[in-house]
Amino acid sequence: MIDMKKAFIVLEDGHVFEGYSFGAEIKSVGELVFNTSAVGYVETLTDPSYYGQIVMQTFPMVGNYGVTEEDFLGQSALRGYVVREYCTTPSNFRSQ
């Protein structure tokens, strides 16, 4: 199980949203944008057009088919990635 710590998103207008973090433990500042795709989260994570932004994924679950290196578009340049739910046990035979 991934160790999760409390995390917050603080918007410029003062609204605060509480959740939990996984992955890198960093403080980050960036423009919050959203992505509505149901698939392609690996491509979103590595898409250079999201450079410096915090991407909020609107599809409710991320990670169900894992990560495959050949799907990468490059290095991730995101400041953060926000999901509602992520899967810790991917079900794709290609998942690395």
Side-chain angles (χ1 to χ4, degrees):
M1 183 76 184
I2 296 174
D3 184 33
M4 296 188 341
K5 297 191 168 121
K6 198 170 276 197
F8 302 91
I9 295 175
V10 181
L11 301 181
E12 186 176 16
D13 68 1
H15 282 85
V16 177
F17 298 90
E18 183 178 327
Y20 294 93
S21 69
F22 63 95
E25 291 186 34
I26 62 169
K27 292 182 181 179
S28 186
V29 175
E31 177 185 21
L32 182 62
V33 299
F34 64 91
N35 181 293
T36 61
S37 63
V39 296
Y41 57 84
V42 173
E43 291 84 353
T44 299
L45 289 169
T46 58
D47 185 337
S49 71
Y50 288 118
Y51 177 83
Q53 296 176 321
I54 299 169
V55 176
M56 179 177 290
Q57 196 68 47
T58 62
F59 192 75
M61 177 180 271
V62 172
N64 54 335
Y65 58 86
V67 174
T68 304
E69 194 170 337
E70 61 193 56
D71 293 339
F72 290 9
L73 299 175
Q75 285 281 68
S76 178
L78 299 180
R79 298 278 183 170
Y81 194 58
V82 180
V83 301
R84 179 175 179 124
E85 179 181 0
Y86 69 96
C87 177
T88 58
T89 53
S91 61
N92 186 329
F93 71 94
R94 295 177 60 228
S95 178
Q96 300 166 335

